[in-house]
Amino acid sequence: MRKSLLTLAVGVSLGALTTLAAADEIDYPDGYRSWTHVKSMTIHKGHPLETPFLGIHHVYANERALHGLQSKHFADGAMLVFDQLQSEDAGAASVEGDRVLIGVMLKDNARFPQTNGWGYQAWPKDSRSQRLVDDGGLSCHGCHIQQKDRDYVFSQWRD
Ligand code: HEC
């Protein structure tokens, strides 16, 4: 009995470590600014997503993710980027300020089974080394799960 409990505990903690390692393995999406721009949105004070998404954000898709947005099925290797910038007042306009963070979703069913095949990671400001997601993407996915019918992706493609 004792032995099996211990085995279970080791199994669980190894599982958690595997999850954390998987998120750490997501590479910074070099070159994403040349990918397909999907949409943009400005979140103002008072919006439910104000914390932490206040400001302007643009969504980018690599080729596989673009195909996924169009077909509503995302193949392994599909990657989406959430590029968040400060919004600055410029007269009667809002313009891009400094980058706040970039968030990434990478589809890989084998690597990210606990988050329905999506790996999540984020990098603050212009850093390519400091990573913000340290829970295997569970907190990110906890919100994206609302979009189950669209393979956990909020953004939609328009012609
Ligand atoms: C409280 C809800 C919530 C949480 C938590 C959240 N997101 Fe999102 N995310 C959204 C919404 C809403 C959008 C769509 C924004 C739009 O329509 O422009 C989005 C969009 C995205 C996109 C673009 C693809 C898509 O689904 O539209 C990526 C990439 C992304 N989020 C990554 C992350 C990462 C990484 C985390 C964790 C660090 C995270 N998200 C946490 C709500 C959330």
Side-chain angles (χ1 to χ4, degrees):
M1 178 66 176
R2 272 192 98 155
K3 194 178 167 208
S4 63
L5 275 183
L6 183 68
T7 314
L8 188 69
V10 171
V12 168
S13 53
L14 280 179
L17 281 176
T18 312
T19 312
L20 295 179
D24 280 349
E25 282 163 17
I26 297 177
D27 291 331
Y28 186 91
D30 284 318
Y32 75 89
R33 291 272 294 126
S34 314
W35 296 1
T36 299
H37 171 247
V38 180
K39 61 163 301 200
S40 300
M41 179 177 178
T42 305
I43 292 183
H44 302 283
K45 287 200 175 117
H47 189 277
L49 295 177
E50 172 189 350
T51 308
F53 300 130
L54 183 74
I56 300 173
H57 65 253
H58 309 290
V59 175
Y60 295 88
N62 70 2
E63 246 174 75
R64 281 191 195 183
L66 175 61
H67 187 254
L69 287 165
Q70 291 165 339
S71 67
K72 299 186 184 66
H73 171 75
F74 292 84
D76 281 3
M79 205 172 198
L80 291 152
V81 171
F82 180 98
D83 188 12
Q84 186 186 344
L85 308 156
Q86 284 176 7
S87 171
E88 289 181 355
D89 288 337
S94 299
V95 296
E96 294 180 345
D98 291 342
R99 184 185 280 117
V100 178
L101 57 80
I102 72 164
V104 154
M105 292 170 68
L106 169 66
K107 188 70 183 263
D108 191 325
N109 281 299
R111 280 167 67 190
F112 309 112
Q114 279 162 314
T115 42
N116 298 105
W118 284 105
Y120 295 83
Q121 192 46 272
W123 291 261
K125 301 190 174 156
D126 293 328
S127 174
R128 287 168 180 240
S129 54
Q130 195 187 338
R131 287 153 191 258
L132 297 174
V133 175
D134 60 3
D135 66 352
L138 291 176
S139 54
C140 308
H141 194 60
C143 188
H144 277 255
I145 205 151
Q146 295 170 51
Q147 293 302 103
K148 190 170 190 285
D149 293 344
R150 295 188 166 273
D151 207 351
Y152 310 98
V153 171
F154 284 96
S155 299
Q156 294 179 32
W157 182 248
R158 63 174 159 80
D159 290 322

